[in-house]
Amino acid sequence: MLRFFPQKNKYIQEEGEFEFSQEGPVPKHIAVIMDGNGRWAQNRRLPRVAGHKEGMETVKKITKHASKLGVKVLTLYAFSTENWKRPTEEVDFLMQLPVDFFDAFVPELVKENVRIHVMGYKEFLPAHTQDAVARAIEQTKDNTGMVLNFALNYGSRAEIVSAVKEVYQEVLETGGDGDMIDEAMISKHLMTGFLPEELRDPELLIRTSGEERISNFLLWQIAYSELFFTDALWPDFNEELLEISIASFQNRDRRFGGLKNKEENK
Ligand code: IPE
Ligand code: IPE
Ligand code: MG
């Protein structure tokens, strides 16, 4: 856990400090649970929605920096299928945010060659949100750089249920049976299935705000992701903290169930 120490005015990693290396492997796919907007606002005696607005600025900063570092896919958890439980006023604000965000930021994204994708149950979003999403996707569809993938009205269990239904349909239509179902087929039908196979699963998952849970995000896809937690609230997350999280990733020993020394696996 990367924690803020007010006496030192510094973030310190409990596991030891690591140097970020531009040459070291940069995760191809980073997923982020952007949490802590409400607390950021409450700490300033502001309404919760002020935190969401500020969080949008962090999205811009992190998108540009991730793209500069060579990240191929940045998946941001913006609204979960469970977030509808919040007060109407907050939900309405969160549904307006993509409209403001895309209108203001798409020209810059075009310049940065970033392609927008939105995964989630878009059909349940209000019409103005759906329109803004469709416009942003259309305006960036020819970009060939980083994919900025927003999870909007996304929930991983619902996603798995949808995938199972599609797999069932495919089995029926092809006249096959249960034996044709494998991991590749399920992965293809998940909402990350639009990505090339080698980019579907995030290598690094970051969660801000100090909570150490997954909250129904990418349950299948994070099977072997490295997890990084920081107590920084999302509006306080920045380029430096992104580099620290990547530095931590660069110092992990990813074994995928094998042994540390690849020779020993033979
Ligand atoms: C994350 O911040 C943004 C969304 C879930 C939409 P929160 O709104 O969850 O902020 P906290 O966790 O209440 O501080
Ligand atoms: C997860 O944050 C969802 C998003 C960041 C969009 P929440 O704030 O909704 O998660 P919980 O309620 O703390 O688990
Ligand atoms: Mg939260």
Side-chain angles (χ1 to χ4, degrees):
M1 169 80 82
L2 177 68
R3 286 188 201 277
F4 187 70
F5 285 80
Q7 308 84 340
K8 297 187 175 151
N9 194 26
K10 202 176 156 193
Y11 284 94
I12 296 177
Q13 188 150 15
E14 290 168 337
E15 299 80 2
E17 277 187 63
F18 305 118
E19 280 297 308
F20 167 73
S21 156
Q22 190 87 56
E23 285 84 51
V26 169
K28 290 191 277 295
H29 183 169
I30 299 180
V32 188
I33 303 175
M34 311 186 285
D35 198 15
N37 293 348
R39 276 163 282 173
W40 182 90
Q42 276 157 356
N43 290 345
R44 286 164 178 73
R45 303 188 188 285
L46 295 168
R48 289 178 53 85
V49 295
H52 297 314
K53 191 154 180 258
E54 192 63 26
M56 198 167 81
E57 298 307 314
T58 309
V59 171
K60 294 180 189 170
K61 273 192 264 185
I62 296 306
T63 299
K64 282 196 262 184
H65 202 58
S67 160
K68 191 175 132 216
L69 294 176
V71 172
K72 303 262 183 277
V73 183
L74 179 65
T75 297
L76 302 178
Y77 203 5
F79 192 90
S80 77
T81 45
E82 287 72 35
N83 287 146
W84 297 105
K85 291 178 193 158
R86 297 187 178 198
T88 319
E89 192 198 344
E90 184 171 344
V91 170
D92 288 348
F93 189 90
L94 288 167
M95 290 300 143
Q96 178 60 31
L97 264 191
V99 182
D100 300 341
F101 175 84
F102 289 136
D103 285 350
F105 197 44
V106 161
E108 231 174 297
L109 291 177
V110 170
K111 248 188 271 162
E112 301 262 340
N113 197 22
V114 169
R115 179 159 67 94
I116 291 171
H117 182 89
V118 174
M119 64 175 198
Y121 295 91
K122 286 181 271 202
E123 60 278 25
F124 296 109
L125 301 174
H128 65 287
T129 316
Q130 288 193 38
D131 291 346
V133 163
R135 265 200 312 277
I137 292 172
E138 173 62 26
Q139 287 163 337
T140 61
K141 71 173 191 308
D142 296 326
N143 294 350
T144 53
M146 188 179 83
V147 175
L148 175 58
N149 180 31
F150 284 99
L152 197 55
N153 195 21
Y154 170 89
S156 189
R157 287 193 168 178
E159 171 196 37
I160 291 171
V161 171
S162 302
V164 169
K165 287 181 185 169
E166 286 179 25
V167 164
Y168 172 71
Q169 203 55 37
E170 193 177 319
V171 171
L172 282 186
E173 279 164 15
T174 54
D177 60 20
D179 282 342
M180 70 182 274
I181 301 170
D182 59 9
E183 291 190 9
M185 187 171 175
I186 292 174
S187 164
K188 192 182 77 199
H189 285 281
L190 292 172
M191 290 178 180
T192 39
F194 76 98
L195 291 163
E197 225 175 315
E198 70 281 7
L199 291 179
R200 282 182 198 157
D201 300 341
E203 291 180 288
L204 174 65
L205 172 74
I206 300 170
R207 181 168 189 151
T208 58
S209 91
E211 311 294 355
E212 293 174 289
R213 57 174 169 264
I214 301 301
S215 302
N216 203 15
F217 194 41
L218 304 175
L219 298 177
W220 169 284
Q221 295 89 333
I222 60 168
Y224 273 105
S225 303
E226 295 298 328
L227 310 181
F228 183 86
F229 298 102
T230 171
D231 70 357
L233 303 172
W234 177 249
D236 291 326
F237 197 75
N238 58 24
E239 294 88 342
E240 189 196 347
L241 297 185
L242 177 66
E243 289 189 6
I244 294 175
S245 65
I246 296 175
S248 170
F249 170 85
Q250 290 173 335
N251 279 277
R252 306 272 179 103
D253 175 23
R254 305 190 78 201
R255 291 192 287 273
F256 301 99
L259 299 181
K260 188 172 174 176
N261 181 347
K262 286 208 178 76
E263 288 305 305
E264 290 178 54
N265 288 321
K266 288 187 179 139

